[in-house]
Amino acid sequence: MTTAGQAPGQAQANLIAIPRDWAYDFLLFTHRNPKPCPVLDVLDAGETVSALKQDADVRTHAPRYRIWENGELKAEPENATDYWRDDLVTFLIGCSFTFETALTNAGVPLRHVDQGKNVSMYVTDIQCRPAGRLHGPMVVSMRWIPESLVDMAHKVTALMPSVHGAPVGAGDPRMLGIEDIDAPDFGDAVEHEPGDVPVFWACGVTPQAVLMKSRPPFAITHAPGQMFVTDMPDFAYRVG
Amino acid sequence: MTTAGQAPGQAQANLIAIPRDWAYDFLLFTHRNPKPCPVLDVLDAGETVSALKQDADVRTHAPRYRIWENGELKAEPENATDYWRDDLVTFLIGCSFTFETALTNAGVPLRHVDQGKNVSMYVTDIQCRPAGRLHGPMVVSMRWIPESLVDMAHKVTALMPSVHGAPVGAGDPRMLGIEDIDAPDFGDAVEHEPGDVPVFWACGVTPQAVLMKSRPPFAITHAPGQMFVTDMPDFAYRVG
């Protein structure tokens, strides 16, 4: 079940757990690609509780997980405990669902939430800056936004860089290499209203696109849109 | 020679080069302590040119370096080339000098620049969040600011989280464990005007305090206040 529109006011996070041997490359990747990969927390190898949600286990708290072997999706369990390894380092990465309460408060409608859907996500032709063995394209989330509110959406989200910040583009999807806006690579296609413009934000599913390209031997992630909901207030990630 | 007040409009950076074996701990430390250690660039092991200053060598471009062995300061050369090792990973970390042009533009006077001095820096009793083998206290920089402009200074710098962002405190230095405001641990003591309040920002010299406490076998850093001046415009590090 998608967590879009759930737990308003609480920060949500993308999750990736990767073997210790790959953790430096991944941490460096996040530094070199802060728009798609703003890190909120890094656990020690084998650790299963994050400071951002102290009463939960990172292996069970997200609604659904993905198990990856050599860059291929092997399973999508609701509970990742059976797949856990003590050499896994878990990263929590900012999620754009975290700025949705701020958008709502600013009068920006959320079409996917109104329609009870997951947000639309697309693999772009923007290549991330590589780090060690890790490389791959940027993934973006897209929200249909009334043209008159695009500036407002930019202004609101720019102040929240830890949850992807300002959009990376708005308007023609082809500028990001997206051929068909109605066929997202992850999440749901979302209906739009007349006058809506597609607005694109860097997305924390990017590490999953990187896994597919870079093929580390093993990883656990959340399923796109089925996030790790933290106890952190979303305003903790607002600057200024 | 301090770079305070030099190269207005260009971002300045703290520098630390640490053996590859320690790089993961350090990168994790920066993630867990983003106020003192906002990372601007990470070079690959052995690499000596940063994307932020492509026509310079990281071993020679800062006015002065510090050579560390087992947490002890061994030398302060103007050129670090003789000390270079190919397993060193260089990190560039945001510097508060980068927001000084924005402060000036907002009408906030810079006492240290007016007096031709380095900024005052202090080791506090705030312990950073440890990462692996690395631990130690936070270092802060201090600027005397007219009481009526403290809010403005907060507002201006909060929008620049990559160069330390909003102050970590203002007013009584003892709340940070600073006993004598006139005896900084790094940099110069700075004269103040009547009505000035000391305002404290997390400082990129923190890694040097961490080196002293955690005692990795080897490291090269810049000398405090003698920064690596980049070609990046300072507004690149402003959000919103």
Side-chain angles (χ1 to χ4, degrees):
Chain A
M1 189 199 77
T2 173
T3 54
Q6 304 299 309
Q10 283 166 252
Q12 302 197 22
N14 298 272
L15 182 149
I16 175 168
I18 197 163
R20 174 68 180 81
D21 172 48
W22 287 71
Y24 181 75
D25 285 1
F26 188 75
L27 194 52
L28 188 57
F29 187 89
T30 66
H31 262 302
R32 290 183 174 170
N33 298 282
K35 288 284 280 187
C37 301
V39 171
L40 304 186
D41 196 20
V42 185
L43 281 63
D44 286 330
E47 198 183 358
T48 56
V49 176
S50 164
L52 307 184
K53 178 68 181 170
Q54 299 191 11
D55 60 353
D57 187 311
V58 294
R59 301 169 296 185
T60 58
H61 180 58
R64 189 171 294 281
Y65 293 86
R66 291 181 147 190
I67 311 301
W68 300 85
E69 287 178 20
N70 300 312
E72 289 177 17
L73 180 59
K74 290 295 181 181
E76 283 204 291
E78 293 182 3
N79 181 327
T81 307
D82 287 348
Y83 301 90
W84 186 252
R85 298 169 17 172
D86 283 339
D87 69 336
L88 291 177
V89 177
T90 301
F91 297 80
L92 294 179
I93 291 176
C95 169
S96 61
F97 290 168
T98 308
F99 60 54
E100 292 191 334
T101 300
L103 287 173
T104 299
N105 290 346
V108 179
L110 299 169
R111 305 296 188 209
H112 63 294
V113 175
D114 294 343
Q115 295 167 32
K117 290 179 176 173
N118 198 347
V119 77
S120 308
M121 292 165 270
Y122 308 85
V123 178
T124 71
D125 63 4
I126 301 172
Q127 292 303 309
C128 292
R129 193 174 158 206
R133 294 159 288 180
L134 294 175
H135 57 92
M138 186 188 296
V139 175
V140 293
S141 65
M142 184 280 289
R143 289 163 185 78
W144 292 106
I145 296 191
E147 189 166 11
S148 62
L149 290 171
V150 171
D151 280 355
M152 177 64 84
H154 190 288
K155 186 172 171 179
V156 166
T157 59
L159 292 177
M160 302 182 75
S162 298
V163 293
H164 303 302
V168 294
D172 188 349
R174 286 169 299 187
M175 76 187 168
L176 299 173
I178 299 167
E179 296 295 329
D180 183 356
I181 198 84
D182 295 320
D185 296 298
F186 310 96
D188 298 322
V190 174
E191 309 282 318
H192 65 281
E193 303 285 324
D196 280 359
V197 173
V199 181
F200 300 93
W201 279 268
C203 178
V205 173
T206 297
Q208 300 188 33
V210 168
L211 291 178
M212 292 181 218
K213 288 289 182 193
S214 311
R215 308 176 69 83
F218 186 73
I220 298 174
T221 69
H222 71 295
Q226 305 197 38
M227 314 307 294
F228 185 90
V229 178
T230 77
D231 281 338
M232 294 292 286
D234 50 17
F235 63 74
Y237 298 107
R238 185 182 185 281
V239 298
Chain B
M1 190 199 75
T2 174
T3 55
Q6 302 300 308
Q10 284 167 252
Q12 302 198 21
N14 299 273
L15 182 150
I16 175 169
I18 197 163
R20 173 69 180 80
D21 172 48
W22 286 71
Y24 181 74
D25 286 0
F26 187 75
L27 194 52
L28 187 57
F29 187 88
T30 67
H31 261 301
R32 291 184 174 168
N33 298 281
K35 286 285 279 188
C37 301
V39 171
L40 304 185
D41 197 21
V42 185
L43 281 64
D44 287 329
E47 197 183 359
T48 56
V49 177
S50 164
L52 307 184
K53 178 68 182 170
Q54 299 190 11
D55 60 354
D57 187 310
V58 294
R59 301 168 296 185
T60 59
H61 180 57
R64 190 171 294 280
Y65 293 85
R66 292 182 146 190
I67 312 300
W68 301 84
E69 286 177 19
N70 301 310
E72 287 176 17
L73 181 59
K74 290 296 182 181
E76 284 203 292
E78 292 182 2
N79 181 328
T81 307
D82 287 347
Y83 299 90
W84 186 251
R85 297 168 20 170
D86 284 338
D87 68 337
L88 291 177
V89 177
T90 301
F91 296 81
L92 295 179
I93 290 176
C95 169
S96 61
F97 289 169
T98 308
F99 60 54
E100 292 191 335
T101 301
L103 287 174
T104 299
N105 291 346
V108 178
L110 299 169
R111 305 295 186 211
H112 63 294
V113 175
D114 294 344
Q115 296 167 31
K117 290 180 176 172
N118 197 347
V119 76
S120 307
M121 292 165 269
Y122 308 85
V123 178
T124 70
D125 62 5
I126 300 172
Q127 292 303 310
C128 293
R129 193 175 156 204
R133 294 160 286 180
L134 295 175
H135 57 94
M138 186 188 294
V139 175
V140 293
S141 65
M142 185 279 289
R143 288 163 184 79
W144 291 107
I145 296 192
E147 189 166 10
S148 63
L149 291 172
V150 171
D151 280 356
M152 176 64 85
H154 189 288
K155 186 173 171 179
V156 166
T157 58
L159 292 176
M160 301 182 76
S162 297
V163 292
H164 303 302
V168 293
D172 188 349
R174 286 169 298 184
M175 75 189 169
L176 299 173
I178 299 166
E179 297 295 328
D180 184 356
I181 199 84
D182 296 320
D185 296 298
F186 311 96
D188 298 322
V190 174
E191 309 282 318
H192 64 282
E193 303 286 324
D196 280 0
V197 173
V199 181
F200 301 94
W201 280 268
C203 177
V205 173
T206 298
Q208 300 188 32
V210 168
L211 290 179
M212 292 182 219
K213 288 288 182 192
S214 312
R215 308 175 69 83
F218 187 73
I220 298 174
T221 69
H222 71 294
Q226 306 198 37
M227 314 308 296
F228 185 91
V229 178
T230 77
D231 281 339
M232 293 293 286
D234 51 17
F235 62 74
Y237 298 107
R238 186 182 184 281
V239 298

